[in-house]
Amino acid sequence: MCDFHSIVVRRDGAVAHIPGNSHSGAVEAAGWRENDQMSDFRGSYFVEAEWDGKGDFTPKKITRGEMNDKQKRVINNHYSALKKLLSDPAEHAERMCLGAGIFAKPEYGDIRWKVMIDPRTPESVIEKIAETELYADGSSISFLHPKVSRIEGVIRVADGSIIEAPALTKSGYVDVSENATFTAPALTEVSGSVYVSENATFTAPALTEVSGSVDVSENATFTAPALTEVSGYVYVSENATF
């Protein structure tokens, strides 16, 4: 697993990416052959690049492996577009993240998530992005657009926040921070773990499956009357309610 934002670029300039930002996962999803022990002699099939979206970058600085000219150009163009988007989402989000935009494909849900939770992004654009595939990066949030229906990654509800997610049906890891309230009446599946911090409340009456573990801290409440399957452990602390 790599940091935001990671891509693999083949010798012919083709780009592979998955929202979880795994280089090996991107190669597998694209059906490409892996670099092997002979790559040092005949050249790599692909190079790996990653940049956190902060400050400046150069292709050489953010890339692992020897690039050809086409790869260098593709990497520079890709991350230049990302830098422009993150620098001014109000100006570029709709054009780049929707329709035929460079980051509109399903695999760029990690980028759309960052744009959607950015306070500079216009409300009208947030509403449209909310209906696309999203990948949460674990950033603490105090608001979630009510049209969001599916999120992979890590949803982290900020301390003391109250969030209602009426359309959310599937999510990744759910982390409800201290004194926060998270209500998801239509949520049926959590594809990761659930962590409810001290004095927090998580209500999911339709939830039937948690693919990871459940951890309910002191004085916290987790309400999931339809839950029938938890793949990992269940831990309920003192004075907690599950």
Side-chain angles (χ1 to χ4, degrees):
M1 191 67 64
C2 303
D3 294 329
F4 175 86
H5 168 77
S6 305
I7 61 173
V8 227
V9 183
R10 208 167 54 187
R11 285 185 296 200
D12 62 358
V15 175
H17 170 72
I18 59 172
N21 288 292
S22 165
H23 286 136
S24 59
V27 171
E28 182 180 0
W32 295 356
R33 65 187 301 180
E34 286 281 358
N35 287 329
D36 54 30
Q37 293 179 346
M38 297 299 293
S39 297
D40 291 339
F41 300 98
R42 64 175 171 233
S44 301
Y45 300 119
F46 57 81
V47 294
E48 304 171 356
E50 62 181 274
W51 179 57
D52 63 5
K54 301 174 183 177
D56 294 319
F57 75 91
T58 63
K60 183 177 181 179
K61 184 178 179 181
I62 65 172
T63 302
R64 183 167 60 194
E66 292 295 324
M67 298 171 283
N68 62 30
D69 289 342
K70 182 171 290 186
Q71 288 171 314
K72 183 176 181 180
R73 183 168 60 253
V74 167
I75 290 168
N76 185 70
N77 290 344
H78 183 93
Y79 285 101
S80 292
L82 178 59
K83 181 177 180 179
K84 180 182 290 187
L85 171 63
L86 298 181
S87 296
D88 191 355
E91 177 68 24
H92 304 294
E94 185 163 22
R95 175 175 60 84
M96 289 187 171
C97 295
L98 299 168
I102 183 174
F103 301 122
K105 294 179 180 179
E107 59 264 35
Y108 293 117
D110 55 326
I111 292 177
R112 291 193 297 278
W113 171 264
K114 277 194 174 293
V115 171
M116 188 185 74
I117 66 173
D118 193 313
R120 298 171 297 171
T121 304
E123 294 275 347
S124 59
V125 179
I126 290 175
E127 182 174 8
K128 295 174 183 177
I129 292 177
E131 298 182 282
T132 70
E133 297 184 46
L134 299 167
Y135 190 95
D137 64 354
S139 298
S140 293
I141 58 171
S142 55
F143 172 79
L144 185 66
H145 195 282
K147 287 190 175 182
V148 172
S149 62
R150 294 171 65 90
I151 302 177
E152 295 183 53
V154 180
I155 301 174
R156 179 166 288 114
V157 181
D159 291 2
S161 297
I162 299 175
I163 293 181
E164 293 188 9
L168 186 66
T169 59
K170 183 177 180 180
S171 77
Y173 185 108
V174 175
D175 184 349
V176 187
S177 300
E178 292 185 18
N179 303 304
T181 299
F182 184 44
T183 305
L187 182 65
T188 59
E189 180 182 352
V190 173
S191 60
S193 295
V194 169
Y195 183 71
V196 189
S197 298
E198 293 183 23
N199 302 306
T201 301
F202 178 24
T203 305
L207 181 64
T208 60
E209 179 182 354
V210 175
S211 297
S213 300
V214 172
D215 191 330
V216 188
S217 297
E218 293 182 18
N219 303 308
T221 300
F222 177 34
T223 304
L227 184 61
T228 58
E229 181 179 350
V230 177
S231 300
Y233 67 81
V234 174
Y235 184 79
V236 183
S237 298
E238 187 178 356
N239 298 317
T241 301
F242 176 20

